mmCIF file of all heavy atoms in Angstrom:
data_model
loop_
_atom_site.group_PDB
_atom_site.id
_atom_site.type_symbol
_atom_site.label_atom_id
_atom_site.label_comp_id
_atom_site.label_asym_id
_atom_site.label_seq_id
_atom_site.Cartn_x
_atom_site.Cartn_y
_atom_site.Cartn_z
ATOM 1 N N SER A 1 75.877 80.952 183.248
ATOM 2 C CA SER A 1 76.366 81.535 184.501
ATOM 3 C C SER A 1 76.963 82.926 184.338
ATOM 4 O O SER A 1 76.874 83.746 185.254
ATOM 5 C CB SER A 1 77.438 80.627 185.131
ATOM 6 O OG SER A 1 76.920 79.361 185.450
ATOM 7 N N LEU A 2 77.588 83.205 183.193
ATOM 8 C CA LEU A 2 78.378 84.423 183.034
ATOM 9 C C LEU A 2 77.950 85.204 181.790
ATOM 10 O O LEU A 2 78.777 85.642 180.994
ATOM 11 C CB LEU A 2 79.871 84.072 182.971
ATOM 12 C CG LEU A 2 80.433 83.448 184.256
ATOM 13 C CD1 LEU A 2 81.851 82.938 184.031
ATOM 14 C CD2 LEU A 2 80.406 84.435 185.414
ATOM 15 N N SER A 3 76.643 85.426 181.667
ATOM 16 C CA SER A 3 76.107 86.116 180.500
ATOM 17 C C SER A 3 76.377 87.615 180.560
ATOM 18 O O SER A 3 76.674 88.192 181.610
ATOM 19 C CB SER A 3 74.606 85.871 180.389
ATOM 20 O OG SER A 3 73.917 86.503 181.459
ATOM 21 N N PHE A 4 76.234 88.256 179.392
ATOM 22 C CA PHE A 4 76.217 89.707 179.246
ATOM 23 C C PHE A 4 74.980 90.067 178.426
ATOM 24 O O PHE A 4 74.482 89.250 177.643
ATOM 25 C CB PHE A 4 77.469 90.209 178.519
ATOM 26 C CG PHE A 4 78.728 90.115 179.321
ATOM 27 C CD1 PHE A 4 79.366 88.887 179.512
ATOM 28 C CD2 PHE A 4 79.311 91.245 179.886
ATOM 29 C CE1 PHE A 4 80.540 88.794 180.248
ATOM 30 C CE2 PHE A 4 80.481 91.165 180.632
ATOM 31 C CZ PHE A 4 81.093 89.935 180.815
ATOM 32 N N ALA A 5 74.503 91.287 178.619
ATOM 33 C CA ALA A 5 73.395 91.793 177.817
ATOM 34 C C ALA A 5 73.863 93.021 177.059
ATOM 35 O O ALA A 5 74.705 93.788 177.545
ATOM 36 C CB ALA A 5 72.199 92.130 178.702
ATOM 37 N N ALA A 6 73.303 93.226 175.868
ATOM 38 C CA ALA A 6 73.719 94.347 175.031
ATOM 39 C C ALA A 6 72.527 94.919 174.279
ATOM 40 O O ALA A 6 71.585 94.214 173.931
ATOM 41 C CB ALA A 6 74.799 93.909 174.047
ATOM 42 N N TRP A 7 72.623 96.224 174.025
ATOM 43 C CA TRP A 7 71.629 96.952 173.233
ATOM 44 C C TRP A 7 72.358 97.861 172.275
ATOM 45 O O TRP A 7 73.380 98.461 172.626
ATOM 46 C CB TRP A 7 70.737 97.787 174.146
ATOM 47 C CG TRP A 7 69.868 98.758 173.389
ATOM 48 C CD1 TRP A 7 68.644 98.502 172.831
ATOM 49 C CD2 TRP A 7 70.165 100.130 173.097
ATOM 50 N NE1 TRP A 7 68.167 99.627 172.206
ATOM 51 C CE2 TRP A 7 69.075 100.645 172.348
ATOM 52 C CE3 TRP A 7 71.239 100.980 173.381
ATOM 53 C CZ2 TRP A 7 69.023 101.962 171.897
ATOM 54 C CZ3 TRP A 7 71.204 102.281 172.924
ATOM 55 C CH2 TRP A 7 70.107 102.772 172.196
ATOM 56 N N GLY A 8 71.840 97.985 171.053
ATOM 57 C CA GLY A 8 72.401 98.933 170.118
ATOM 58 C C GLY A 8 72.888 98.295 168.841
ATOM 59 O O GLY A 8 72.583 97.135 168.521
ATOM 60 N N ALA A 9 73.691 99.045 168.105
ATOM 61 C CA ALA A 9 74.054 98.677 166.744
ATOM 62 C C ALA A 9 74.803 97.354 166.658
ATOM 63 O O ALA A 9 74.601 96.585 165.716
ATOM 64 C CB ALA A 9 74.903 99.796 166.125
ATOM 65 N N ASP A 10 75.680 97.078 167.613
ATOM 66 C CA ASP A 10 76.505 95.868 167.553
ATOM 67 C C ASP A 10 76.151 94.868 168.641
ATOM 68 O O ASP A 10 76.977 94.025 169.010
ATOM 69 C CB ASP A 10 77.991 96.245 167.649
ATOM 70 C CG ASP A 10 78.492 96.943 166.399
ATOM 71 O OD1 ASP A 10 78.292 96.396 165.305
ATOM 72 O OD2 ASP A 10 79.062 98.046 166.527
ATOM 73 N N ALA A 11 74.919 94.922 169.131
ATOM 74 C CA ALA A 11 74.519 94.025 170.224
ATOM 75 C C ALA A 11 74.669 92.560 169.834
ATOM 76 O O ALA A 11 75.199 91.748 170.604
ATOM 77 C CB ALA A 11 73.081 94.327 170.646
ATOM 78 N N GLU A 12 74.223 92.192 168.653
ATOM 79 C CA GLU A 12 74.295 90.802 168.225
ATOM 80 C C GLU A 12 75.750 90.348 168.092
ATOM 81 O O GLU A 12 76.106 89.226 168.485
ATOM 82 C CB GLU A 12 73.558 90.611 166.908
ATOM 83 C CG GLU A 12 73.537 89.180 166.394
ATOM 84 C CD GLU A 12 72.815 88.208 167.319
ATOM 85 O OE1 GLU A 12 71.912 88.645 168.063
ATOM 86 O OE2 GLU A 12 73.167 87.005 167.307
ATOM 87 N N PHE A 13 76.609 91.205 167.553
ATOM 88 C CA PHE A 13 78.026 90.862 167.439
ATOM 89 C C PHE A 13 78.645 90.624 168.812
ATOM 90 O O PHE A 13 79.442 89.696 168.999
ATOM 91 C CB PHE A 13 78.774 91.983 166.711
ATOM 92 C CG PHE A 13 80.265 91.801 166.678
ATOM 93 C CD1 PHE A 13 80.847 90.874 165.829
ATOM 94 C CD2 PHE A 13 81.086 92.556 167.504
ATOM 95 C CE1 PHE A 13 82.229 90.700 165.806
ATOM 96 C CE2 PHE A 13 82.468 92.383 167.485
ATOM 97 C CZ PHE A 13 83.039 91.449 166.628
ATOM 98 N N VAL A 14 78.277 91.451 169.783
ATOM 99 C CA VAL A 14 78.883 91.358 171.112
ATOM 100 C C VAL A 14 78.444 90.102 171.856
ATOM 101 O O VAL A 14 79.263 89.413 172.461
ATOM 102 C CB VAL A 14 78.566 92.624 171.944
ATOM 103 C CG1 VAL A 14 79.024 92.457 173.390
ATOM 104 C CG2 VAL A 14 79.238 93.849 171.325
ATOM 105 N N VAL A 15 77.170 89.773 171.841
ATOM 106 C CA VAL A 15 76.674 88.703 172.707
ATOM 107 C C VAL A 15 76.154 87.491 171.958
ATOM 108 O O VAL A 15 75.769 86.498 172.573
ATOM 109 C CB VAL A 15 75.561 89.220 173.648
ATOM 110 C CG1 VAL A 15 76.059 90.363 174.504
ATOM 111 C CG2 VAL A 15 74.301 89.615 172.882
ATOM 112 N N GLY A 16 76.154 87.517 170.632
ATOM 113 C CA GLY A 16 75.471 86.480 169.882
ATOM 114 C C GLY A 16 76.153 85.137 169.837
ATOM 115 O O GLY A 16 75.520 84.144 169.470
ATOM 116 N N ASP A 17 77.423 85.053 170.182
ATOM 117 C CA ASP A 17 78.143 83.781 170.070
ATOM 118 C C ASP A 17 79.047 83.594 171.287
ATOM 119 O O ASP A 17 80.259 83.445 171.157
ATOM 120 C CB ASP A 17 78.952 83.756 168.770
ATOM 121 C CG ASP A 17 79.504 82.382 168.440
ATOM 122 O OD1 ASP A 17 78.961 81.383 168.956
ATOM 123 O OD2 ASP A 17 80.491 82.298 167.680
ATOM 124 N N HIS A 18 78.438 83.592 172.452
ATOM 125 C CA HIS A 18 79.179 83.490 173.716
ATOM 126 C C HIS A 18 79.456 82.020 174.013
ATOM 127 O O HIS A 18 78.560 81.258 174.347
ATOM 128 C CB HIS A 18 78.350 84.123 174.837
ATOM 129 C CG HIS A 18 79.100 84.314 176.113
ATOM 130 N ND1 HIS A 18 78.558 84.976 177.194
ATOM 131 C CD2 HIS A 18 80.354 83.945 176.504
ATOM 132 C CE1 HIS A 18 79.425 84.998 178.176
ATOM 133 N NE2 HIS A 18 80.527 84.373 177.779
ATOM 134 N N GLY A 19 80.713 81.624 173.879
ATOM 135 C CA GLY A 19 81.081 80.232 174.076
ATOM 136 C C GLY A 19 80.929 79.766 175.512
ATOM 137 O O GLY A 19 80.999 80.550 176.455
ATOM 138 N N LEU A 20 80.726 78.466 175.680
ATOM 139 C CA LEU A 20 80.542 77.906 177.016
ATOM 140 C C LEU A 20 81.868 77.829 177.770
ATOM 141 O O LEU A 20 81.963 78.245 178.927
ATOM 142 C CB LEU A 20 79.903 76.515 176.904
ATOM 143 C CG LEU A 20 79.294 75.909 178.165
ATOM 144 C CD1 LEU A 20 78.192 76.795 178.736
ATOM 145 C CD2 LEU A 20 78.749 74.512 177.874
ATOM 146 N N ASP A 21 82.909 77.297 177.129
ATOM 147 C CA ASP A 21 84.234 77.229 177.752
ATOM 148 C C ASP A 21 84.883 78.620 177.749
ATOM 149 O O ASP A 21 84.582 79.460 176.898
ATOM 150 C CB ASP A 21 85.140 76.253 177.006
ATOM 151 C CG ASP A 21 84.663 74.815 177.097
ATOM 152 O OD1 ASP A 21 83.936 74.479 178.049
ATOM 153 O OD2 ASP A 21 85.021 74.026 176.196
ATOM 154 N N ASP A 22 85.778 78.848 178.720
ATOM 155 C CA ASP A 22 86.519 80.119 178.794
ATOM 156 C C ASP A 22 85.562 81.306 178.685
ATOM 157 O O ASP A 22 85.690 82.178 177.820
ATOM 158 C CB ASP A 22 87.588 80.183 177.701
ATOM 159 C CG ASP A 22 88.691 79.161 177.918
ATOM 160 O OD1 ASP A 22 88.932 78.781 179.080
ATOM 161 O OD2 ASP A 22 89.297 78.728 176.932
ATOM 162 N N ALA A 23 84.627 81.365 179.624
ATOM 163 C CA ALA A 23 83.456 82.234 179.510
ATOM 164 C C ALA A 23 83.763 83.724 179.551
ATOM 165 O O ALA A 23 82.941 84.535 179.122
ATOM 166 C CB ALA A 23 82.460 81.895 180.609
ATOM 167 N N LEU A 24 84.929 84.109 180.061
ATOM 168 C CA LEU A 24 85.321 85.513 180.077
ATOM 169 C C LEU A 24 86.577 85.744 179.227
ATOM 170 O O LEU A 24 87.233 86.767 179.339
ATOM 171 C CB LEU A 24 85.563 85.988 181.518
ATOM 172 C CG LEU A 24 84.340 85.880 182.449
ATOM 173 C CD1 LEU A 24 84.720 86.291 183.875
ATOM 174 C CD2 LEU A 24 83.171 86.714 181.945
ATOM 175 N N GLY A 25 86.855 84.780 178.350
ATOM 176 C CA GLY A 25 88.031 84.850 177.503
ATOM 177 C C GLY A 25 87.686 85.149 176.055
ATOM 178 O O GLY A 25 86.777 85.925 175.759
ATOM 179 N N GLU A 26 88.390 84.515 175.127
ATOM 180 C CA GLU A 26 88.245 84.852 173.709
ATOM 181 C C GLU A 26 86.848 84.607 173.146
ATOM 182 O O GLU A 26 86.414 85.342 172.256
ATOM 183 C CB GLU A 26 89.287 84.100 172.880
ATOM 184 C CG GLU A 26 90.726 84.418 173.233
ATOM 185 C CD GLU A 26 91.040 85.909 173.248
ATOM 186 O OE1 GLU A 26 90.456 86.663 172.438
ATOM 187 O OE2 GLU A 26 91.859 86.331 174.092
ATOM 188 N N PRO A 27 86.093 83.601 173.626
ATOM 189 C CA PRO A 27 84.744 83.414 173.084
ATOM 190 C C PRO A 27 83.704 84.319 173.734
ATOM 191 O O PRO A 27 82.504 84.126 173.515
ATOM 192 C CB PRO A 27 84.428 81.930 173.411
ATOM 193 C CG PRO A 27 85.671 81.340 173.986
ATOM 194 C CD PRO A 27 86.477 82.476 174.518
ATOM 195 N N SER A 28 84.113 85.286 174.519
ATOM 196 C CA SER A 28 83.183 86.047 175.353
ATOM 197 C C SER A 28 82.854 87.419 174.779
ATOM 198 O O SER A 28 83.580 87.955 173.938
ATOM 199 C CB SER A 28 83.780 86.249 176.749
ATOM 200 O OG SER A 28 84.748 87.287 176.736
ATOM 201 N N PRO A 29 81.769 88.036 175.256
ATOM 202 C CA PRO A 29 81.475 89.422 174.890
ATOM 203 C C PRO A 29 82.597 90.393 175.242
ATOM 204 O O PRO A 29 82.740 91.434 174.594
ATOM 205 C CB PRO A 29 80.200 89.716 175.687
ATOM 206 C CG PRO A 29 79.513 88.391 175.770
ATOM 207 C CD PRO A 29 80.639 87.418 175.989
ATOM 208 N N LEU A 30 83.402 90.083 176.257
ATOM 209 C CA LEU A 30 84.523 90.959 176.599
ATOM 210 C C LEU A 30 85.485 91.092 175.426
ATOM 211 O O LEU A 30 85.981 92.191 175.131
ATOM 212 C CB LEU A 30 85.264 90.409 177.821
ATOM 213 C CG LEU A 30 84.494 90.369 179.129
ATOM 214 C CD1 LEU A 30 85.293 89.625 180.196
ATOM 215 C CD2 LEU A 30 84.153 91.782 179.602
ATOM 216 N N ALA A 31 85.765 89.983 174.760
ATOM 217 C CA ALA A 31 86.665 90.026 173.611
ATOM 218 C C ALA A 31 86.035 90.762 172.437
ATOM 219 O O ALA A 31 86.733 91.412 171.648
ATOM 220 C CB ALA A 31 87.064 88.608 173.198
ATOM 221 N N ARG A 32 84.711 90.693 172.316
ATOM 222 C CA ARG A 32 84.035 91.413 171.228
ATOM 223 C C ARG A 32 84.046 92.926 171.495
ATOM 224 O O ARG A 32 84.172 93.714 170.546
ATOM 225 C CB ARG A 32 82.615 90.911 171.068
ATOM 226 C CG ARG A 32 82.472 89.400 170.837
ATOM 227 C CD ARG A 32 83.014 88.924 169.515
ATOM 228 N NE ARG A 32 84.475 88.832 169.480
ATOM 229 C CZ ARG A 32 85.177 87.834 170.038
ATOM 230 N NH1 ARG A 32 84.560 86.883 170.724
ATOM 231 N NH2 ARG A 32 86.494 87.805 169.942
ATOM 232 N N VAL A 33 83.919 93.334 172.748
ATOM 233 C CA VAL A 33 84.062 94.757 173.079
ATOM 234 C C VAL A 33 85.466 95.231 172.710
ATOM 235 O O VAL A 33 85.645 96.328 172.168
ATOM 236 C CB VAL A 33 83.760 95.004 174.566
ATOM 237 C CG1 VAL A 33 84.115 96.435 174.979
ATOM 238 C CG2 VAL A 33 82.286 94.731 174.869
ATOM 239 N N TYR A 34 86.456 94.390 172.986
ATOM 240 C CA TYR A 34 87.839 94.709 172.602
ATOM 241 C C TYR A 34 87.937 94.892 171.088
ATOM 242 O O TYR A 34 88.553 95.847 170.597
ATOM 243 C CB TYR A 34 88.766 93.588 173.071
ATOM 244 C CG TYR A 34 90.237 93.838 172.855
ATOM 245 C CD1 TYR A 34 91.044 94.281 173.892
ATOM 246 C CD2 TYR A 34 90.835 93.606 171.615
ATOM 247 C CE1 TYR A 34 92.405 94.499 173.704
ATOM 248 C CE2 TYR A 34 92.183 93.822 171.415
ATOM 249 C CZ TYR A 34 92.968 94.273 172.466
ATOM 250 O OH TYR A 34 94.318 94.491 172.271
ATOM 251 N N ASP A 35 87.320 93.966 170.322
ATOM 252 C CA ASP A 35 87.359 94.046 168.862
ATOM 253 C C ASP A 35 86.765 95.359 168.350
ATOM 254 O O ASP A 35 87.185 95.872 167.309
ATOM 255 C CB ASP A 35 86.587 92.880 168.245
ATOM 256 C CG ASP A 35 87.235 91.532 168.494
ATOM 257 O OD1 ASP A 35 88.448 91.487 168.795
ATOM 258 O OD2 ASP A 35 86.524 90.511 168.383
ATOM 259 N N LEU A 36 85.772 95.881 169.083
ATOM 260 C CA LEU A 36 85.093 97.117 168.688
ATOM 261 C C LEU A 36 85.767 98.368 169.244
ATOM 262 O O LEU A 36 85.239 99.473 169.067
ATOM 263 C CB LEU A 36 83.634 97.076 169.159
ATOM 264 C CG LEU A 36 82.740 96.052 168.461
ATOM 265 C CD1 LEU A 36 81.406 95.914 169.211
ATOM 266 C CD2 LEU A 36 82.495 96.433 167.003
ATOM 267 N N ALA A 37 86.929 98.189 169.904
ATOM 268 C CA ALA A 37 87.637 99.318 170.520
ATOM 269 C C ALA A 37 86.717 100.065 171.475
ATOM 270 O O ALA A 37 86.666 101.299 171.483
ATOM 271 C CB ALA A 37 88.207 100.253 169.465
ATOM 272 N N GLY A 38 85.999 99.303 172.298
ATOM 273 C CA GLY A 38 85.043 99.882 173.225
ATOM 274 C C GLY A 38 85.687 100.496 174.449
ATOM 275 O O GLY A 38 86.911 100.448 174.638
ATOM 276 N N ASP A 39 84.837 101.084 175.280
ATOM 277 C CA ASP A 39 85.264 101.700 176.537
ATOM 278 C C ASP A 39 84.641 100.969 177.712
ATOM 279 O O ASP A 39 83.582 100.339 177.597
ATOM 280 C CB ASP A 39 84.829 103.170 176.590
ATOM 281 C CG ASP A 39 85.552 104.030 175.574
ATOM 282 O OD1 ASP A 39 86.728 103.751 175.284
ATOM 283 O OD2 ASP A 39 84.927 104.977 175.060
ATOM 284 N N VAL A 40 85.291 101.091 178.860
ATOM 285 C CA VAL A 40 84.769 100.599 180.135
ATOM 286 C C VAL A 40 84.362 101.797 180.973
ATOM 287 O O VAL A 40 85.144 102.746 181.137
ATOM 288 C CB VAL A 40 85.824 99.765 180.888
ATOM 289 C CG1 VAL A 40 85.332 99.417 182.287
ATOM 290 C CG2 VAL A 40 86.163 98.507 180.113
ATOM 291 N N LEU A 41 83.154 101.764 181.502
ATOM 292 C CA LEU A 41 82.676 102.790 182.427
ATOM 293 C C LEU A 41 82.462 102.155 183.788
ATOM 294 O O LEU A 41 81.661 101.227 183.936
ATOM 295 C CB LEU A 41 81.358 103.393 181.932
ATOM 296 C CG LEU A 41 80.655 104.366 182.892
ATOM 297 C CD1 LEU A 41 81.524 105.592 183.182
ATOM 298 C CD2 LEU A 41 79.298 104.791 182.327
ATOM 299 N N LEU A 42 83.207 102.628 184.778
ATOM 300 C CA LEU A 42 83.013 102.222 186.166
ATOM 301 C C LEU A 42 82.196 103.322 186.829
ATOM 302 O O LEU A 42 82.678 104.423 187.030
ATOM 303 C CB LEU A 42 84.353 102.039 186.873
ATOM 304 C CG LEU A 42 85.307 101.010 186.256
ATOM 305 C CD1 LEU A 42 86.621 100.962 187.035
ATOM 306 C CD2 LEU A 42 84.678 99.624 186.190
ATOM 307 N N LEU A 43 80.957 102.999 187.142
ATOM 308 C CA LEU A 43 79.998 103.976 187.627
ATOM 309 C C LEU A 43 79.719 103.715 189.107
ATOM 310 O O LEU A 43 78.845 102.943 189.470
ATOM 311 C CB LEU A 43 78.712 103.863 186.807
ATOM 312 C CG LEU A 43 77.693 104.994 186.875
ATOM 313 C CD1 LEU A 43 78.326 106.331 186.514
ATOM 314 C CD2 LEU A 43 76.525 104.679 185.945
#
């Protein structure tokens, strides 16, 4: 229900282990973007 898609050097790290429970929490790609010190772009 709450997937993310990624392309590039760390795509597998970001989306490769998206847990079923707490889908936007610690098991999510959002937390992996945080781990990578990523940016948010609101376009």
Side-chain angles (χ1 to χ4, degrees):
S1 298
L2 296 171
S3 68
F4 289 76
W7 169 85
D10 289 308
E12 182 62 27
F13 173 75
V14 172
V15 302
D17 191 21
H18 191 174
L20 196 59
D21 294 336
D22 293 333
L24 300 176
E26 299 308 326
S28 78
L30 295 172
R32 304 292 77 77
V33 171
Y34 185 100
D35 293 340
L36 292 168
D39 293 327
V40 173
L41 173 62
L42 301 178
L43 195 55

